[in-house]
Amino acid sequence: MPRSSLAVDTVVVHFCSNVVADPKSPYRFDAITQTFRSGGVAPHYLIDREGTIFLLVDEARAAYHAGKGRLPWSPHRENTLNDFSIGVELMGIGTAEEMELFIPASRYGDIAVSDLGFTPAQYVALNRLIRDMEKRWPSIRHDRRHIIGHDEYAPGRRTDPGKLFDWSQLGLPATAGGQNE
Ligand SMILES: [Zn+2]
Protein backbone atom coordinates (compact mmCIF):
# COMPACT_ATOMS: atom_id res chain seq x y z
CA MET A 1 0.00 0.00 0.00
CA PRO A 2 1.41 3.49 -0.83
CA ARG A 3 1.98 5.79 2.11
CA SER A 4 2.79 9.43 2.82
CA SER A 5 6.24 10.81 3.58
CA LEU A 6 5.09 11.62 7.11
CA ALA A 7 4.07 8.07 7.83
CA VAL A 8 7.43 6.38 8.04
CA ASP A 9 9.28 7.02 11.29
CA THR A 10 10.79 3.66 12.28
CA VAL A 11 13.46 1.29 10.96
CA VAL A 12 13.19 -2.35 12.06
CA VAL A 13 16.35 -4.46 11.98
CA HIS A 14 16.01 -8.22 11.41
CA PHE A 15 18.22 -11.23 10.80
CA CYS A 16 17.58 -13.98 8.28
CA SER A 17 19.20 -17.11 6.91
CA ASN A 18 18.40 -20.46 5.36
CA VAL A 19 20.01 -22.20 8.33
CA VAL A 20 17.04 -24.53 8.86
CA ALA A 21 17.52 -26.15 5.45
CA ASP A 22 21.29 -25.90 5.31
CA PRO A 23 23.31 -25.09 8.48
CA LYS A 24 26.58 -25.47 6.56
CA SER A 25 25.62 -22.94 3.88
CA PRO A 26 23.10 -20.64 5.54
CA TYR A 27 23.42 -17.55 3.36
CA ARG A 28 22.12 -18.45 -0.08
CA PHE A 29 20.24 -15.51 -1.57
CA ASP A 30 17.71 -17.62 -3.48
CA ALA A 31 16.99 -19.88 -0.52
CA ILE A 32 16.49 -16.90 1.79
CA THR A 33 14.16 -15.02 -0.55
CA GLN A 34 12.23 -18.27 -1.03
CA THR A 35 11.90 -18.46 2.77
CA PHE A 36 10.46 -14.94 2.73
CA ARG A 37 7.94 -15.91 0.06
CA SER A 38 6.81 -19.07 1.77
CA GLY A 39 6.53 -17.24 5.10
CA GLY A 40 4.59 -14.32 3.62
CA VAL A 41 7.43 -11.97 4.58
CA ALA A 42 8.66 -9.09 2.42
CA PRO A 43 11.27 -6.76 3.89
CA HIS A 44 12.26 -3.60 2.06
CA TYR A 45 15.98 -4.40 2.15
CA LEU A 46 18.23 -7.40 2.44
CA ILE A 47 21.94 -6.95 3.27
CA ASP A 48 24.19 -9.91 2.51
CA ARG A 49 27.36 -10.91 4.38
CA GLU A 50 29.53 -8.82 2.02
CA GLY A 51 27.47 -5.70 2.69
CA THR A 52 25.61 -5.64 -0.62
CA ILE A 53 22.22 -3.98 -0.18
CA PHE A 54 19.30 -5.45 -2.14
CA LEU A 55 16.08 -3.46 -2.53
CA LEU A 56 13.15 -5.90 -2.41
CA VAL A 57 10.18 -3.58 -1.74
CA ASP A 58 10.02 0.15 -2.52
CA GLU A 59 10.20 2.30 0.63
CA ALA A 60 7.07 4.15 -0.46
CA ARG A 61 5.08 0.97 0.06
CA ALA A 62 4.31 -0.78 3.33
CA ALA A 63 5.89 -4.23 3.50
CA TYR A 64 5.20 -7.32 5.59
CA HIS A 65 8.13 -7.67 7.98
CA ALA A 66 7.13 -6.66 11.51
CA GLY A 67 3.85 -8.53 12.12
CA LYS A 68 2.16 -8.34 15.49
CA GLY A 69 3.78 -6.47 18.34
CA ARG A 70 3.84 -3.34 20.41
CA LEU A 71 6.23 -0.56 21.37
CA PRO A 72 5.81 0.76 24.93
CA TRP A 73 6.15 4.39 23.77
CA SER A 74 3.44 4.11 21.09
CA PRO A 75 0.85 1.61 22.38
CA HIS A 76 -1.85 3.08 20.11
CA ARG A 77 0.01 1.62 17.14
CA GLU A 78 -0.14 -1.98 18.37
CA ASN A 79 0.14 -4.50 15.52
CA THR A 80 0.41 -1.78 12.86
CA LEU A 81 4.16 -1.17 12.68
CA ASN A 82 4.34 -2.32 9.05
CA ASP A 83 2.44 0.83 8.14
CA PHE A 84 5.04 3.12 9.76
CA SER A 85 8.32 1.35 9.22
CA ILE A 86 11.01 0.18 6.86
CA GLY A 87 12.26 -3.36 7.36
CA VAL A 88 15.93 -4.25 6.88
CA GLU A 89 16.97 -7.91 6.96
CA LEU A 90 20.63 -8.68 7.59
CA MET A 91 21.86 -12.12 6.65
CA GLY A 92 22.85 -13.28 10.12
CA ILE A 93 22.42 -15.89 12.84
CA GLY A 94 21.85 -15.29 16.54
CA THR A 95 22.80 -17.19 19.67
CA ALA A 96 21.85 -20.85 20.17
CA GLU A 97 19.03 -19.74 22.46
CA GLU A 98 17.72 -17.21 19.93
CA MET A 99 17.89 -19.77 17.13
CA GLU A 100 15.85 -22.37 19.03
CA LEU A 101 12.83 -20.94 17.20
CA PHE A 102 14.35 -22.39 14.04
CA ILE A 103 16.80 -25.18 14.85
CA PRO A 104 17.37 -27.37 17.91
CA ALA A 105 20.42 -26.58 20.02
CA SER A 106 21.88 -29.95 19.00
CA ARG A 107 22.24 -28.70 15.40
CA TYR A 108 23.55 -25.25 16.28
CA GLY A 109 27.08 -26.66 16.44
CA ASP A 110 26.88 -27.49 12.71
CA ILE A 111 27.01 -23.76 11.94
CA ALA A 112 30.47 -22.32 11.20
CA VAL A 113 31.53 -19.77 13.82
CA SER A 114 32.23 -17.28 11.01
CA ASP A 115 28.54 -17.51 10.03
CA LEU A 116 27.32 -16.39 13.46
CA GLY A 117 26.40 -12.79 14.17
CA PHE A 118 27.05 -10.04 11.63
CA THR A 119 30.00 -8.86 9.54
CA PRO A 120 31.85 -5.51 9.60
CA ALA A 121 30.76 -4.96 5.97
CA GLN A 122 27.12 -5.32 7.02
CA TYR A 123 27.47 -2.62 9.67
CA VAL A 124 29.06 -0.27 7.12
CA ALA A 125 26.23 -0.92 4.66
CA LEU A 126 23.52 -0.61 7.31
CA ASN A 127 24.94 2.69 8.55
CA ARG A 128 24.94 4.07 5.03
CA LEU A 129 21.41 2.84 4.37
CA ILE A 130 20.04 4.26 7.64
CA ARG A 131 21.65 7.67 7.05
CA ASP A 132 20.06 7.72 3.60
CA MET A 133 16.66 6.72 4.96
CA GLU A 134 16.88 9.42 7.66
CA LYS A 135 17.32 11.99 4.88
CA ARG A 136 14.41 10.63 2.86
CA TRP A 137 12.09 10.25 5.86
CA PRO A 138 12.64 13.15 8.31
CA SER A 139 10.49 11.49 10.97
CA ILE A 140 13.10 8.73 11.38
CA ARG A 141 15.25 10.10 14.18
CA HIS A 142 18.62 8.58 14.96
CA ASP A 143 17.66 7.13 18.33
CA ARG A 144 16.39 3.90 19.85
CA ARG A 145 12.72 4.77 19.54
CA HIS A 146 13.02 5.07 15.79
CA ILE A 147 15.64 2.46 15.02
CA ILE A 148 14.69 -0.79 16.70
CA GLY A 149 15.05 -4.54 16.58
CA HIS A 150 12.24 -6.91 15.67
CA ASP A 151 12.78 -8.56 19.08
CA GLU A 152 11.97 -5.24 20.75
CA TYR A 153 8.66 -4.91 18.92
CA ALA A 154 7.66 -8.55 19.30
CA PRO A 155 9.43 -9.86 22.42
CA GLY A 156 8.78 -13.53 23.09
CA ARG A 157 7.69 -14.06 19.48
CA ARG A 158 10.83 -12.85 17.70
CA THR A 159 14.51 -12.95 18.66
CA ASP A 160 16.10 -10.98 15.81
CA PRO A 161 18.52 -9.30 15.49
CA GLY A 162 19.36 -10.45 19.02
CA LYS A 163 22.30 -10.18 21.37
CA LEU A 164 24.99 -10.59 18.70
CA PHE A 165 23.86 -7.41 16.96
CA ASP A 166 26.08 -4.51 18.09
CA TRP A 167 23.99 -1.35 18.31
CA SER A 168 27.07 0.73 19.11
CA GLN A 169 28.11 0.17 15.48
CA LEU A 170 25.18 2.45 14.59
CA GLY A 171 26.16 4.95 17.28
CA LEU A 172 23.16 3.86 19.36
CA PRO A 173 22.64 2.42 22.85
CA ALA A 174 21.90 -1.29 23.27
CA THR A 175 18.46 -0.77 24.78
CA ALA A 176 15.37 0.47 22.94
CA GLY A 177 13.35 3.40 24.24
CA GLY A 178 14.60 6.76 25.41
CA GLN A 179 14.91 9.26 28.24
CA ASN A 180 11.26 10.27 28.01
CA GLU A 181 10.01 6.93 29.23
ZN1 LIG B 1 12.44 -10.24 12.02
Side-chain angles (χ1 to χ4, degrees):
M1 121 184 56
R3 51 193 182 177
S4 84
S5 65
L6 294 175
V8 176
D9 64 8
T10 307
V11 175
V12 184
V13 179
H14 305 260
F15 66 46
C16 63
S17 69
N18 55 278
V19 72
V20 176
D22 194 352
K24 303 266 187 213
S25 183
Y27 298 126
R28 289 188 291 111
F29 184 90
D30 291 345
I32 288 170
T33 50
Q34 179 57 45
T35 306
F36 291 158
R37 278 191 292 275
S38 56
V41 174
H44 294 89
Y45 293 99
L46 172 61
I47 302 179
D48 73 10
R49 301 290 283 177
E50 286 71 46
T52 307
I53 301 170
F54 299 91
L55 172 67
L56 304 183
V57 177
D58 194 281
E59 286 180 9
R61 302 183 69 82
Y64 297 97
H65 63 93
K68 290 191 170 155
R70 182 178 175 278
L71 296 170
W73 54 92
S74 61
H76 56 290
R77 301 201 305 197
E78 187 168 3
N79 299 337
T80 61
L81 186 59
N82 284 335
D83 296 339
F84 304 99
S85 65
I86 294 172
V88 182
E89 293 268 3
L90 303 183
M91 290 190 186
I93 292 171
T95 65
E97 189 181 21
E98 290 161 3
M99 298 308 290
E100 271 176 10
L101 278 175
F102 311 102
I103 54 167
S106 59
R107 286 181 68 209
Y108 187 80
D110 295 343
I111 306 165
V113 172
S114 59
D115 284 337
L116 303 179
F118 306 90
T119 70
Q122 287 181 304
Y123 288 114
V124 171
L126 181 59
N127 262 305
R128 203 176 77 220
L129 179 59
I130 285 176
R131 296 296 178 182
D132 283 349
M133 291 191 291
E134 288 168 352
K135 284 183 199 139
R136 285 192 288 273
W137 305 93
S139 299
I140 301 176
R141 306 242 298 275
H142 198 74
D143 63 30
R144 292 289 273 114
R145 287 190 178 198
H146 298 86
I147 301 172
I148 62 167
H150 200 189
D151 48 357
E152 294 159 342
Y153 173 66
R157 189 174 69 81
R158 290 294 166 201
T159 57
D160 59 318
K163 294 191 186 83
L164 301 183
F165 184 79
D166 182 2
W167 289 95
S168 75
Q169 298 275 337
L170 303 179
L172 292 168
T175 308
Q179 310 99 315
N180 297 333
E181 275 196 295

